[in-house]
Structures are given as C-alpha cells and as structure tokens.
Amino acid sequence: MIDLRSDTLTLPTQEMRNVIAHAIVGDDCYGEDGSVIELEEYCKQLFCVEDALFVPTGTMANQLAIKSQVMEGNEVITETNYHINFYESSSIAMLSRAVLHTCRTEDGILRVEHVDELIHSKPRGPFYASPQLVSIENTINYYQGKIFPFKEIKQLYEFTREKNISLHMDGARLFHAHVAMNIPLSDYAKFVDSLSICFAKGLGAPFGSMLMGKKEMISKARIYRKQFGAGFHQIGMYAAAALHALKHHISHLCTDHLLTKKLAMMLSEIEGLSIDPDAVETNMIFFHVNNLHTNSWQFVDRCKKKGVLLFPWLSDTVRIVVSRNVTEKGIYEAANIIEAVCKELTRGVTYVS
Ligand SMILES: *Cc1c(COP(=O)(O)O)cnc(C)c1O
C-alpha cells in the first residue's frame, strides 16, 4: 500500500528505534529526565526562545498556549478553518472557557485588516469579552499546506503588540515552511509570543510537540500541563526520538516537496480531475472529483482497492499528503492508480463495493 493519507502515519526508522532503546531517562515531573532536558535545551537554541515545554500533542501545545495567555471569558481571534477552530473549539470551551471569534478569509491568510475588523465588530470595554490572543497557522492544513507569508506575520506581530494582544503560531508543519522559504526557524519565533511545533508529522517521530515562548508563559503552561494530566515520568525515550528527528529529518522535507510537485504535475494531466498544481506549495495536494460524477469516499475506496490510500477531505475533495512514507517510485505508482480510477469513472465502469 502507498499511504498518502497523512504525514502523521510516518513510522520510526531503525536508527530512531536504536536511539529510543538507548535513551537516558528519569522522572520528568522532578525535572530529571535527561533526554527531555536535552530536547528542550536544543529547541531553545534552535528557535532562540526563552523557554520550551515538551507536550504530548500539537493539540495540547495549542491548548496550553491559550490557557496561559487568555483569561476565562475572553477571546481568541483566528481563521474559521485553522486547526484551532476547525478541530479544537470544544477543547477551548472545556479547558480555557474562552470564546473563539473567527472569520473566513478569501485565501486562508489571516491579515491585520481581518483582525482589526473582528476587534471592532463588537462592543468592547470592561463589561465585555476582550480579545487576548490571535492565532495563526503555518503551514495551513485546510489550505493545502499553504505557507503563511513571513511579512504578514511581522505585520500581525506589530499590530498585536500595539493592541496588547498575544500572537500564537500553530506551527505543526512550520518545518515545511522553513525548508520551502529558507527562513530560519528563529526568525519565525521572533515575531510571535508563542509557537507550537509537532514532531509526529512530517519529521517522522512517533510522539510529541513543543510549546515555546517567554519564560513566564511557559512556567504557567508547565503547571497547566500537569493539571491536564500530562505530567510525564520516564518520557525520555520519546524526547530522544524527537531530538533525532530534529537533527536528521528536517532536510528530507525538501524531497517531500519535490515529490509533491511532481505528483501534482502528473495529476493535472489526468482528464476529469480538477487540480491547480501552481497552488501546491509544500507536501499537500487537494483535488476535486466532482467532474467524475462521484464523491471523495467512493473515489478513495476505488484507489484503495488498487493499492493507494488517500484521505477524503470534503465530499468532493480528496487530500494527498506526501511524507517519508513514500518514495519516488511510489509517487509514479500512485499517479498511475489515480489515473486508472479516473479512466474507470469516465468510462462508467460500475462500482462494486
Ligand atoms: C496535526 C495538527 C495539530 C495537532 O495535532 P495532534 O494530533 O494533536 O498532534 C495542530 N495543528 C495543525 C495545523 C495540525 O495539522
């Protein structure tokens, strides 16, 4: 099976398994896990941030960023389709008792003008909810792994500082933006108050995220992490795997991007598929199947029968994510299978489930 459903499906390499087997561990609740200390220190250097906190998931990193920067009843401003609203709205209600205030942008980029409009669309003042955090995403999952433009981040940072609002970046796939744009990770960290990254996506570690920012914010988050039930004991094996991924797997993302572009070009030649290869910026491709008189679930099912796994994103949209899971040979095979499925559909071959 060629698995193009998600980059969370990447598996640890043999080298990573060796690192895990030999990792130094201790009780992280006592601050004594050597591998966690090493990973957090490494991230502090790499991103040039004051402090870093190892957490189990990207969701928890985002939730801790909110919990430590937004008071109950106050507001988080974000784009409707960013992970923080799309998947995490119930977590925010439950854990932070904060409100989301969102807008749908035309191109997926939440800009100063949108935030300004959201701030002024309600009465503000001591009796009402006040906006305390703006949250952006880089790269943007819902918008096909689109890169958030660096200059827009800087402008947002200037604006939010002026308004005394914090800026958070959900950087689950920030490494993809980093290798595509050749912008240092520390430059990204410089223009936000808090930043989360994931080790368990394209980087290929089995577990973990890092929340980074100022000392004061991270010390609050460290307490909330324990209260939320994620105070780890011997978690160093996972920290060592994450460190190995940071040291050895970042550059591979360039290969993922090249293969994604190649696949997008091949798919754009297929009759019936609607896809814009120029809009492909990182490791994701979204294509539409509505011209083939089918829906994404049926399309994905047909592909699975022939040996390629894809993700039915919306009823007419299929998502492809390229990761370390797939080789160049796999990309050609996937293109052939998708083409064969499209041919069946245009020829009206009956679907047998
Ligand atoms: C995957 C992802 C997360 C966090 O996912 P977890 O499964 O909780 O680690 C957060 N934001 C974005 C944009 C993501 O793609």
Side-chain angles (χ1 to χ4, degrees), residues 272-291:
L273 276 196
S274 102
I275 166 179
D276 175 9
D278 293 335
V280 171
E281 295 185 2
T282 57
N283 67 330
M284 289 187 195
I285 302 169
F286 284 21
F287 65 81
H288 308 287
V289 295
N290 34 334
N291 292 337

Side-chain angles (χ1 to χ4, degrees), residues 58-329:
T59 300
M60 187 176 277
N62 287 338
Q63 291 307 312
L64 290 173
I66 293 168
K67 185 77 182 169
S68 7
Q69 296 178 100
V70 182
M71 276 162 52
E72 280 191 8
N74 286 327
E75 221 172 85
V76 177
I77 288 177
T78 195
E79 216 267 0
T80 313
N81 295 312
Y82 293 171
H83 199 280
I84 245 175
N85 179 58
F86 201 67
Y87 294 111
E88 299 179 42
S89 56
S90 64
S91 313
I92 294 170
M94 293 162 73
L95 302 171
S96 292
R97 296 155 63 94
V99 272
L100 280 156
H101 193 185
T102 68
C103 71
R104 191 184 299 268
T105 60
E106 219 160 87
D107 59 357
I109 308 300
L110 186 73
R111 295 183 168 82
V112 166
E113 73 227 41
H114 302 116
V115 175
D116 198 39
E117 199 180 315
L118 287 170
I119 291 174
H120 292 104
S121 66
K122 286 182 187 175
R124 301 296 185 181
F127 294 147
Y128 309 112
S130 66
Q132 293 189 316
L133 185 78
V134 172
S135 187
I136 56 174
E137 188 171 311
N138 200 8
T139 66
I140 312 168
N141 187 5
Y142 190 95
Y143 293 91
Q144 196 177 229
K146 185 173 189 154
I147 296 165
F148 204 106
F150 190 63
K151 75 170 199 326
E152 301 289 346
I153 301 173
K154 279 172 137 174
Q155 285 173 7
L156 271 175
Y157 187 59
E158 262 173 46
F159 177 81
T160 50
R161 266 162 66 109
E162 228 170 72
K163 302 267 176 201
N164 205 17
I165 297 173
S166 301
L167 181 61
H168 174 66
M169 180 151 66
D170 175 353
R173 294 192 181 79
L174 185 63
F175 299 101
H176 295 85
H178 159 65
V179 302
M181 301 305 293
N182 218 352
I183 294 174
L185 292 164
S186 55
D187 281 9
Y188 279 113
K190 201 157 136 192
F191 296 101
V192 292
D193 296 288
S194 57
L195 168 64
S196 59
I197 54 160
C198 286
F199 302 117
K201 297 235 159 114
L203 281 193
F207 171 99
S209 282
M210 194 65 75
L211 176 66
M212 291 172 280
K214 290 260 187 307
K215 267 206 156 54
E216 196 191 338
M217 190 268 300
I218 295 293
S219 348
K220 284 189 196 167
R222 205 173 280 279
I223 297 166
Y224 290 129
R225 181 187 67 171
K226 178 72 178 159
Q227 291 169 339
F228 288 169
F232 298 118
H233 302 289
Q234 291 73 29
I235 196 69
M237 283 175 272
Y238 280 133
L243 184 60
H244 179 80
L246 273 182
K247 286 182 176 168
H248 302 285
H249 291 181
I250 294 179
S251 61
H252 185 87
L253 301 175
C254 299
T255 309
D256 293 345
H257 293 175
L258 285 173
L259 292 182
T260 311
K261 204 69 175 178
K262 191 168 263 183
L263 180 57
M265 297 305 290
M266 290 189 279
L267 297 184
S268 68
E269 306 278 307
I270 300 174
E271 209 187 313
L273 276 196
S274 102
I275 166 179
D276 175 9
D278 293 335
V280 171
E281 295 185 2
T282 57
N283 67 330
M284 289 187 195
I285 302 169
F286 284 21
F287 65 81
H288 308 287
V289 295
N290 34 334
N291 292 337
L292 292 159
H293 310 289
T294 185
N295 60 47
S296 63
W297 298 284
Q298 284 179 2
F299 190 90
V300 163
D301 225 24
R302 282 182 185 254
C303 290
K304 186 177 174 182
K305 288 202 171 72
K306 294 185 190 296
V308 63
L309 297 170
L310 309 175
F311 190 83
W313 180 251
L314 297 171
S315 65
D316 70 336
T317 309
V318 175
R319 186 185 76 169
I320 288 176
V321 185
V322 175
S323 69
R324 310 173 56 80
N325 273 357
V326 59
T327 59
E328 182 162 14
K329 186 164 158 277

